[in-house]
Amino acid sequence: MPPAYLIKHVELDIDITPTVTTVSSKLQVSRNPASELPTDFELHGEHLILKELKLDDKILSADAYKAAESSLTILNVPQAFTLEVITEIKPQNNTELSGLYKSQHMYCTQCEAEGFRRITYYPDRPDVMAKFKVTIHADKKEYPVLLANGNLIARGSDNDGRHHAIWEDPFAKPCYLFA
């Protein structure tokens, strides 16, 4: 069965600190004309702390979505919209080595087959193809190299000895290939 919604573009902002990693995602979503599924938008998620949820720049009230242990459902969404989700994760406590995790002194990802759902809420299935733009922030001394898929388009210094890198992948891919 084809997915109910397609995602054209994903922007991720990943802010790594010693105690918590904040992941902000911005999804450009549209209804899949090949789907006859209901109008609710279902995303997968595991071990995520939901901090904020916006649809087209408006914060969603608690009655506009359903959060469960392994999913997030946005109710009665329009045909096309932008969804912004801010979550917190703790990669240093992730011993399943799925999603974003810390291995000794390095942060790593393993998203195949369903690990992306441990980074942010997303329709974690192989037939949802999107282009990804990723900004990573971390301590410059501890993590001098910040890598993601695609092409490095910018890097710079943040406050307090931190830095960032922005990567953009020009090719649509399923989230299990995210790195």
Side-chain angles (χ1 to χ4, degrees):
M1 186 169 267
Y5 289 89
L6 303 173
I7 299 178
K8 181 178 181 180
H9 191 261
V10 177
E11 286 186 35
L12 293 176
D13 188 289
I14 301 170
D15 188 7
I16 299 169
T17 70
T19 57
V20 69
T21 295
T22 302
V23 179
S24 302
S25 69
K26 187 174 189 177
L27 312 177
Q28 292 179 355
V29 184
S30 62
R31 180 85 174 145
N32 184 355
S35 175
E36 297 178 11
L37 293 174
T39 59
D40 296 340
F41 182 45
E42 186 173 337
L43 303 100
H44 302 100
E46 293 177 3
H47 306 289
L48 304 173
I49 299 168
L50 180 62
K51 301 304 281 185
E52 187 174 277
L53 192 56
K54 290 183 183 177
L55 190 122
D56 291 333
D57 292 323
K58 295 177 185 166
I59 294 177
L60 291 180
S61 62
D63 62 346
Y65 64 92
K66 293 179 185 174
E69 187 174 323
S70 62
S71 67
L72 176 67
T73 304
I74 315 300
L75 306 172
N76 301 311
V77 296
Q79 292 290 310
F81 58 95
T82 299
L83 182 68
E84 296 177 68
V85 182
I86 298 175
T87 56
E88 289 182 350
I89 57 176
K90 295 189 177 182
Q92 67 277 13
N93 297 342
N94 180 353
T95 58
E96 293 180 34
L97 308 180
S98 176
L100 178 64
Y101 61 93
K102 188 173 183 184
S103 177
Q104 295 184 346
H105 301 290
M106 182 170 61
Y107 285 85
C108 306
T109 57
Q110 172 56 44
C111 294
E112 193 172 353
E114 296 178 337
F116 194 77
R117 64 185 66 197
R118 302 180 112 240
I119 297 172
T120 189
Y121 287 102
Y122 195 82
D124 192 355
R125 41 185 291 168
D127 54 353
V128 175
M129 307 278 283
K131 293 181 181 179
F132 285 76
K133 181 178 180 182
V134 180
T135 303
I136 307 167
H137 306 264
D139 182 274
K140 189 172 187 172
K141 185 178 175 184
E142 291 287 322
Y143 308 104
V145 178
L146 305 174
L147 295 174
N149 294 88
N151 303 311
L152 178 65
I153 59 172
R155 64 178 156 201
S157 295
D158 295 342
N159 297 327
D160 301 327
R162 294 170 51 79
H163 68 141
H164 66 272
I166 303 172
W167 296 83
E168 189 166 39
D169 193 338
F171 303 103
K173 65 178 173 288
C175 65
Y176 74 82
L177 293 178
F178 175 81

